[in-house]
Every structure is written in structure tokens, then in C-alpha cells.
């Protein structure tokens, strides 16, 4: 079975659930339900009193959640995880949540469905929206975006060295034929970008960048992480799985910033309690990577990173 045809397998499942569940009676949020792998594992660890609230912006994920018949302990809300602050306020969950899980990025079912437009390996509409019921598609954006803006997105979100070259070609070629199909865009990039990385298509970085831009993924992560601080109770766990360096950088910086004591000039007479007054998180472990056994079973897990933090007392 090739990686492209692999079934959906939840990444770092055992490690993330083990870190997340500290109270079987607690309230947990799966902020990225996907196809429910983590939620099912989470529910299996909870008591009849435990509760899981899932979020997802993908209508197909919401539909798949109907198969999870556990009305007493499970509910799902059709919303992006960046709306977490609103959900916490609406559900009156401030300082009540025992654990929050974020499994970032695009899911295998989204990649494998050509009609969603995420993959350069299958021809389909150039869509790329996580929520296919609203918003601007990748094709919409590429139909009018200026060369400088396309260059910025490809370089910043895809770390694409040939960003300017690709952007210039897109702007030139769309005059004759607008970009509406994934294969059309992938073939253009394939002609322009030398393929030097083994097992990596030349369009990988550009497709990632456009997807991140269309869905405002990095801004959503920042908003959701901030909201998690309000949601979590003391000793509650923040568990985040990232799949590329841009995501992981945001998560790492956020956890580090909120786990450090106050920075003061050396020699200033200040107590340890005062130094730590503003700390809101404690790092629970170093970054965790998938085991060799998991990578053999699921090659798509190879770039994943798990980070865990514990909520400190509320000030």
C-alpha cells in the first residue's frame, strides 16, 4: 500500500491521549475532530461522568461524527478551532477544562479526496478550503492576487526558494487560462522547480503555502492557543500535534513564553514567588516524535511533533 492510498490513522495517538487524560471524570476538548480517532480513544479512557466537546470546520468531519453514538458524553460543534474563546464563553467553561487537544494541519481524508483540492497527486478543483461551505477558494485567490502577494505566501508559508519564479508564471499564465484544477497548478510548478528532495513533489511547498493562506491556519493557531489559557483549569493539559515547522514554531514559542519566569535585571531583590507570578504553563516533556514502529505503519506521521504543557494556577 502506498502512502497516498493509506487509510486514515491518528498520529501519536497513545502518546497524546496518555498526556491528555488526568481525570476520567473531566471535561475535554478535541479542537480538531477530523475523523474522530483521538476522540474515540479519549472517550475510551473516560468514566460515564467524563465529557468530550469536539470542534471542526470541515462539514465532512461533522457528518462523520454522527457515527459516534455517545450523546451523554460527546458533542461536536461546526466551527474553526480559532473560535475556541467564543465556545468557552458560550459553554461557560472558563477554567473548567481538564485537557485540550490540537491535531493541526490537513487530515488524510481531506488529502485523499480529490474534490477538496488539497493534493497535487490527484486532479480536482483547486479549492483547498478546510470549510468547504464558505470562504474563498485557492482558485479564487490565484485569479486576482498580485505577483508580490503570491511570492510572499509561497516564500513565507512554504519556504519555497523559487517563489518569485512561480508567482510570475502564475500571473502570466492565468491571462490565457485561469488556474482552476490542482493538476494544472502542479504541472506548472513541476516545470519550474527542480526536484531535488527524494519522495517530495516539487509542488509540495507551494500547495502547503496556498492552503495555509486560504485557511488562515497560522493565525487560527495563535488565536486558539491564547484561548486555551482561559479554558484550562489548574493542572489541565494542553496537548498539540504539529506537522510542519511553521506550526511547531508557533506552538513551541507560545509554550516557552508562558512557561518562563518574569525577566528582571540581575541583582534585583525579588522573591521566587514574584518571579513566577505570571507563569501560566509548565512544560511537561521535551518534544515527542513518532516511534519507528508508528512510522512503518503510517509514513504520513514522519514530520509530526507532540508538545505537552500543564496549566499553572490562575492568578
Amino acid at each position: 500500500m502506498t502512502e497516498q492510498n493509506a487509510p486514515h490513522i491518528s498520529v501519536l495517538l497513545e502518546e497524546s491521549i496518555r498526556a491528555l487524560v488526568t481525570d476520567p471524570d473531566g471535561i475535554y476538548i478535541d479542537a480538531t475532530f477530523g475523523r474522530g480517532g483521538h476522540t474515540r480513544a479519549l472517550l475510551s479512557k473516560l468514566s460515564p461522568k467524563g465529557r468530550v466537546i469536539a470542534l471542526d470546520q470541515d462539514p465532512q468531519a461533522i457528518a462523520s461524527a454522527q457515527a459516534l453514538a455517545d450523546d451523554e458524553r460527546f458533542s461536536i460543534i461546526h466551527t474553526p478551532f480559532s473560535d475556541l474563546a467564543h465556545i468557552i464563553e458560550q459553554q461557560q467553561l472558563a477554567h473548567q477544562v481538564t485537557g485540550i487537544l490540537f491535531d493541526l494541519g490537513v487530515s488524510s481524508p481531506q488529502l485523499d479526496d480529490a474534490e477538496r483540492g488539497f493534493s497535487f497527486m490527484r486532479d480536482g478543483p483547486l479549492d483547498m478550503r478546510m470549510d468547504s461551505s464558505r470562504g474563498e477558494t485557492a482558485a479564487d485567490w490565484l485569479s486576482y492576487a498580485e505577483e508580490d502577494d503570491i511570492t510572499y505566501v509561497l516564500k513565507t508559508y512554504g519556504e519555497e526558494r523559487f517563489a518569485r519564479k512561480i508567482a510570475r508564471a502564475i500571473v502570466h499564465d492565468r491571462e490565457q487560462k485561469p488556474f482552476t484544477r490542482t493538476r494544472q497548478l502542479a504541472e506548472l510548478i513541476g516545470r519550474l522547480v527542480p526536484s531535488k528532495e527524494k519522495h517530495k513533489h516539487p509542488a509540495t511547498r507551494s500547495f502547503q503555502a496556498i492552503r495555509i493562506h486560504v485557511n488562515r491556519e497560522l493565525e487560527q493557531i495563535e488565536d486558539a492557543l491564547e484561548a486555551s489559557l482561559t479554558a484550562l483549569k489548574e493542572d489541565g493539559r494542553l496537548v498539540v500535534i504539529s506537522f510542519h515547522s511553521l506550526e511547531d514554531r508557533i506552538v513551541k514559542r507560545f509554550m516557552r513564553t508562558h512557561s518562563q519566569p518574569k525577566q528582571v535585571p540581575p541583582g534585583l531583590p525579588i522573591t521566587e514567588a514574584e518571579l513566577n507570578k505570571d507563569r501560566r504553563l509548565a512544560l511537561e516533556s521535551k518534544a515527542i516524535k513518532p516511534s519507528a514502529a508508528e512510522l512503518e505503519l503510517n509514513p504520513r506521521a514522519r514530520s509530526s511533533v507532540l508538545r505537552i504543557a500543564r496549566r499553572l494556577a490562575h492568578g
Side-chain angles (χ1 to χ4, degrees):
M1 180 182 293
T2 67
E3 179 180 340
Q4 305 306 326
N5 297 318
H8 177 61
I9 303 171
S10 297
V11 171
L12 289 160
L13 182 62
E14 290 185 18
E15 295 88 343
S16 58
I17 299 303
R18 189 185 310 123
L20 190 67
V21 179
T22 57
D23 177 5
D25 297 339
I27 300 171
Y28 294 86
I29 294 177
D30 182 349
T32 46
F33 179 78
R35 293 303 180 266
H38 285 101
T39 287
R40 288 181 176 85
L42 177 54
L43 286 167
S44 74
K45 301 294 183 183
L46 301 187
S47 74
K49 294 180 182 178
R51 181 179 168 202
V52 178
I53 301 169
L55 314 179
D56 209 294
Q57 61 184 332
D58 184 348
Q60 292 183 13
I62 301 300
S64 73
Q66 307 314 312
L68 217 168
D70 198 331
D71 294 340
E72 295 296 317
R73 302 190 301 160
F74 171 74
S75 60
I76 188 165
I77 303 169
H78 182 200
T79 191
F81 60 69
S82 57
D83 203 27
L84 182 60
H86 173 69
I87 299 301
I88 295 305
E89 182 180 5
Q90 185 184 64
Q91 304 273 335
Q92 298 183 318
L93 289 174
H95 313 324
Q96 302 297 312
V97 178
T98 312
I100 302 177
L101 171 69
F102 293 97
D103 182 6
L104 303 175
V106 65
S107 71
S108 295
Q110 289 170 326
L111 280 172
D112 293 337
D113 183 354
E115 292 303 304
R116 301 301 299 273
F118 289 109
S119 176
F120 43 80
M121 302 301 292
R122 295 170 173 79
D123 188 38
L126 195 54
D127 193 317
M128 295 197 192
R129 292 171 299 168
M130 296 286 193
D131 184 348
S132 55
S133 69
R134 69 186 81 178
E136 183 177 67
T137 68
D140 291 336
W141 180 66
L142 288 175
S143 70
Y144 70 82
E146 296 184 3
E147 181 183 318
D148 284 349
D149 293 333
I150 299 173
T151 300
Y152 174 82
V153 166
L154 300 185
K155 192 172 184 177
T156 305
Y157 300 148
E159 299 173 317
E160 174 55 68
R161 292 189 299 122
F162 299 93
R164 175 66 67 182
K165 189 176 183 181
I166 295 168
R168 186 175 295 123
I170 288 172
V171 171
H172 175 271
D173 286 15
R174 74 187 181 194
E175 295 299 320
Q176 281 71 43
K177 186 178 181 181
F179 287 87
T180 61
R181 308 289 296 183
T182 55
R183 182 169 294 162
Q184 179 189 4
L185 180 60
E187 287 178 352
L188 170 77
I189 297 169
R191 291 195 302 268
L192 297 173
V193 177
S195 182
K196 292 184 177 179
E197 296 180 70
K198 192 176 181 181
H199 306 309
K200 197 162 191 176
H201 190 283
T204 301
R205 297 182 188 279
S206 294
F207 268 62
Q208 170 187 295
I210 295 168
R211 188 201 81 217
I212 288 172
H213 171 74
V214 166
N215 295 289
R216 293 184 59 254
E217 290 180 35
L218 302 187
E219 295 96 326
Q220 286 202 42
I221 293 169
E222 291 170 346
D223 292 345
L225 289 173
E226 279 297 331
S228 71
L229 294 174
T230 301
L232 287 168
K233 64 193 296 184
E234 183 177 349
D235 285 331
R237 297 305 198 268
L238 174 60
V239 177
V240 187
I241 302 170
S242 305
F243 284 86
H244 59 73
S245 60
L246 296 175
E247 293 172 343
D248 186 52
R249 204 173 298 149
I250 292 171
V251 176
K252 182 179 180 180
R253 184 175 65 237
F254 176 83
M255 289 185 174
R256 185 177 62 231
T257 297
H258 290 292
S259 64
Q260 290 178 336
K262 184 183 293 185
Q263 301 299 306
V264 297
L268 194 70
I270 187 168
T271 66
E272 186 173 346
E274 289 174 315
L275 276 175
N276 290 308
K277 184 170 69 74
D278 295 329
R279 286 182 67 214
R280 296 193 277 179
L281 294 173
L283 303 182
E284 285 295 285
S285 74
K286 294 182 179 179
I288 298 171
K289 300 282 287 181
S291 66
E294 178 170 2
L295 290 176
E296 185 174 352
L297 182 67
N298 183 17
R300 281 179 173 165
R302 64 178 174 265
S303 60
S304 59
V305 180
L306 172 65
R307 295 188 185 275
I308 307 158
R310 173 172 55 88
R311 184 65 164 100
L312 298 175
H314 292 270

